[in-house]
Amino acid sequence: MIPVMRPWLGPEEAAAVAEVMASGWVAQGPRATAFENALAAKVGAPHAIATSSCTGALHLALAALDVGPGDEVIAPSLSFIATANVIRYTGASVVFADVDPDTQNISAAAIARALSPRTKAVIIVHQGGVPANIGAIRQVCEPLKVAVVEDAACALGSTYKGAPIGSHSDFVAYSFHPRKVITTGEGGMLVTRRAELVGRIRRLRDHGMSISAAQRHESRTPIIEQYPETGFNYRISDIQAAVGIVQLGRLDAIVARRRQLALRYQRRLAGLPGLSVVIRSTLQHDQLPVVLDHASR
Ligand SMILES: *Cc1c(COP(=O)(O)O)cnc(C)c1O
């Protein structure tokens, strides 16, 4: 049997969990904050918000952008269903754009064809960790004030033009489901450069509550919280976060091993008739021109 993914877990993760248990604080707290800081530093993003899943992280990004009924959000025709589901959660319409057969990623040209005056955002997916052409996509979207959200569920540790996925766009969401690059059992993370939205995203993650449980716990006087808007429960637990911190330390080794295996598949399968392998995208992004019009495709 060849498993799709095998989680890379060791006694270090078990010890980290035992430490959380002994501490008496198992809900979202100091370890979640430490995990957020460690991941933000690793991917070169100024802010990170840990969540219960990548789905939750994507939904928070759309909520922070005030995507709602009447809006359209473009998504790739090929992805896991969560990419489209989060758009439906907001009441907006999903507009599918075709993926490129060579990379299996949504392309700038396909996005350009799917745009309408109602387009509020585009969710791009780095299929299987192979980066989409972020630069070309931003070139299409930014002049029109269409937000770009990266569904990087499988792309923690990937790079685009030499910089980590997470450092290029306003919103990038990762998954820590066991099928992804690193795992916390279940979990996710949203990284963002939009400092002005971070407070609201943290509140929306936590029932819309103005003060977190950890802050109330630390306070010596009672704090009465407020709920300025309808929120969700997309929190991570400190048990998961403790595993995530250890996993993050293994990221480089995991990615290196996966690259080795990918290369092996590419070499050994390349000659099979009727089968094509995904083009290694780094080369392609630097060499292909940006194609925006329909005819030249
Ligand atoms: C796995 C996956 C998700 C969902 O991640 P969860 O953490 O399970 O919510 C979303 N998008 C893509 C592309 C995925 O592969």
Side-chain angles (χ1 to χ4, degrees):
M1 195 188 80
I2 303 173
V4 174
M5 244 334 266
R6 198 184 280 137
W8 188 329
L9 296 162
E12 295 83 359
E13 280 83 352
V17 170
E19 215 175 282
V20 175
M21 297 290 166
S23 80
W25 187 276
V26 290
Q28 181 176 284
R31 279 156 184 97
T33 305
F35 185 32
E36 289 172 343
N37 293 340
L39 190 134
K42 184 79 188 166
V43 303
H47 307 281
I49 301 106
T51 53
S52 50
S53 68
C54 179
T55 306
L58 288 168
H59 186 200
L60 288 176
L62 296 186
L65 287 164
D66 291 317
V67 172
D71 295 329
E72 292 178 356
V73 179
I74 297 172
S77 56
L78 177 72
S79 182
F80 183 62
I81 195 163
T83 313
N85 275 346
V86 296
I87 301 168
R88 298 292 292 266
Y89 294 172
T90 67
S93 305
V94 184
V95 177
F96 288 112
D98 269 338
V99 297
D100 192 272
D102 294 335
T103 62
Q104 311 205 333
N105 281 326
I106 193 170
S107 66
I111 289 170
R113 285 195 296 276
L115 285 167
S116 92
R118 288 165 62 197
T119 310
K120 186 111 176 203
V122 178
I123 304 184
I124 66 172
V125 174
H126 308 302
Q127 187 62 35
V130 174
N133 197 346
I134 304 167
I137 290 166
R138 284 182 48 189
Q139 246 174 286
V140 171
C141 294
E142 275 172 7
L144 301 169
K145 302 254 187 305
V146 169
V148 175
V149 176
E150 293 180 44
D151 178 346
C154 300
L156 181 66
S158 294
T159 59
Y160 172 76
K161 295 198 170 167
I165 292 294
S167 61
H168 303 283
S169 299
D170 281 1
F171 295 98
V172 183
Y174 305 96
S175 173
F176 310 127
H177 182 273
R179 197 196 148 307
K180 318 296 176 170
V181 186
I182 65 167
T183 188
T184 58
E186 292 279 359
M189 188 90 71
L190 180 66
V191 304
T192 183
R193 304 192 286 212
R194 300 282 296 273
E196 80 282 9
L197 294 177
V198 171
R200 183 168 171 223
I201 294 169
R202 291 192 187 284
R203 278 199 305 278
L204 286 172
R205 171 183 62 173
D206 201 1
H207 300 289
M209 201 168 5
S210 59
I211 308 279
S212 76
Q215 284 170 306
R216 284 159 74 198
H217 180 74
E218 277 161 17
S219 169
R220 284 154 172 269
T221 53
I223 305 179
I224 309 298
E225 77 277 19
Q226 292 182 319
Y227 300 86
E229 62 180 321
T230 306
F232 313 96
N233 178 357
Y234 285 148
R235 291 179 307 234
I236 197 166
S237 76
D238 263 22
I239 304 170
Q240 293 164 307
V243 174
I245 293 166
V246 180
Q247 284 275 290
L248 207 51
R250 302 189 195 278
L251 178 64
D252 293 344
I254 292 172
V255 170
R257 177 66 182 143
R258 284 167 66 109
R259 286 201 169 125
Q260 253 177 13
L261 292 172
L263 198 61
R264 198 159 126 200
Y265 277 114
Q266 281 174 327
R267 286 203 181 120
R268 302 265 176 100
L269 297 176
L272 283 184
L275 192 126
S276 59
V277 292
V278 167
I279 288 172
R280 289 175 73 81
S281 58
T282 339
L283 257 185
Q284 195 201 33
H285 289 148
D286 293 338
Q287 291 174 359
L288 283 190
V290 180
V291 180
L292 291 182
D293 58 314
H294 309 187
S296 53
R297 216 180 114 89

